[in-house]
Structures are given as C-alpha cells and as structure tokens.
Amino acid sequence: MPHTVVDSPLGPLTLVGTDGALTGLYMDRQRYRPEPETFGDRDDAPFAEAARQLEEYFAGRRTRFDLPLAMAGTPFQRQVWEALRAIPYGRTVSYGQLADRLGRPTAARAVGLANGHNPIGIIVPCHRVVGASGDLTGYGGGLDRKRRLLDFERTVSERS
C-alpha cells in the first residue's frame, strides 16, 4: 500500500492507495488519521492523477473528482460517503437533510459519526455538511479548514 504527500493551501495532504484506487486522503493533525507507519512506502507515481485533480480543485478549475476510490467502512458508512459525493460543489446540507436523503430521518447523529470517519476528505466532500442552523460543526481536519474550503468553493461558484 503506497502513499505520497502533496502540498495544498490547507497544508500537506497524505494520499494512500491500493491496487490503483485511493483509500485515504489525510490532513496533518486530522482526527482519525491512521498512524503513518500504516501508509506503506512512499511512491508518488500511483498518485499522479489524484495530485493533478487536487491541484485543479485548489486552482478553482475542478468541481468534481473522477478517481477510483476504495473506501473501507461499514455498509452504512459507505452509504453516507456516497451521499456526500452527491452534494453539489459550493453548497451545503445539514446532517438531518443528509439523513433524510438516505431514507433514515432519525439518523442525523449516525450520519455525523459516519461523516467524521470519512477516509477521503475533500474528494469525498464531508466539509459540505453543516449543523441544522447552518453553523459549522465538527470536521476532522478542523473547523478553520472547513470554513476555508466552504468559503473557497462559494467564491469559485460565484465567479462561474
């Protein structure tokens, strides 16, 4: 299982993969970040496309990612993570709204827990989920990064 580290406006991002699919994207000091020794050897080559798409995203030229992903989690977690990918760029939904979309209207807390364990931040946009009042709540990468991502996407969307 190789990994690489790419620079970003949010700091270094560690990309982890296996068999040609991305299995993790982690920020430094991220909650639930695996121990670095589990990332395997550094090898930049398998991540060239992911690095290119992330560069385009941070340059404001990409609003959707097209990468093979292999996310390990429970069936419910994977269902939540797939629903995250349907949230439009520059928009937000609440945990309750996401639970409703999954046909589980009383599962907002469970959606929040699954959201917090998303192993592929940014590409699987867990930063687009907010509290019922619209307030920024919990983000494994830190609320400052969540605010920066949402402000960035909003600015890019307004320019388009």
Side-chain angles (χ1 to χ4, degrees), residues 71-124:
M71 299 169 61
T74 68
F76 179 73
Q77 285 174 323
R78 289 194 309 271
Q79 184 182 21
V80 170
W81 300 335
E82 192 58 39
L84 293 173
R85 297 183 75 196
I87 302 170
Y89 180 91
R91 306 292 275 293
T92 59
V93 300
S94 72
Y95 296 97
Q97 288 170 319
L98 198 55
D100 284 344
R101 289 180 184 183
L102 295 172
R104 309 266 308 259
T106 61
R109 188 173 299 270
V111 164
L113 287 172
N115 196 50
H117 283 85
N118 171 18
I120 305 179
I122 302 170
I123 291 171
V124 177

Side-chain angles (χ1 to χ4, degrees), residues 49-69 81-91 101 120-125 127-128 152-153 156-157 160:
E49 181 62 15
R52 183 182 70 76
Q53 289 190 28
L54 283 163
E55 184 178 317
E56 291 172 353
Y57 169 83
F58 285 115
R61 296 189 315 268
R62 174 174 290 278
T63 60
R64 294 186 65 83
F65 291 92
D66 181 24
L67 296 166
L69 306 178
W81 300 335
E82 192 58 39
L84 293 173
R85 297 183 75 196
I87 302 170
Y89 180 91
R91 306 292 275 293
R101 289 180 184 183
I120 305 179
I122 302 170
I123 291 171
V124 177
H127 60 276
R128 296 180 189 153
F152 170 73
E153 289 186 3
V156 170
S157 293
S160 300

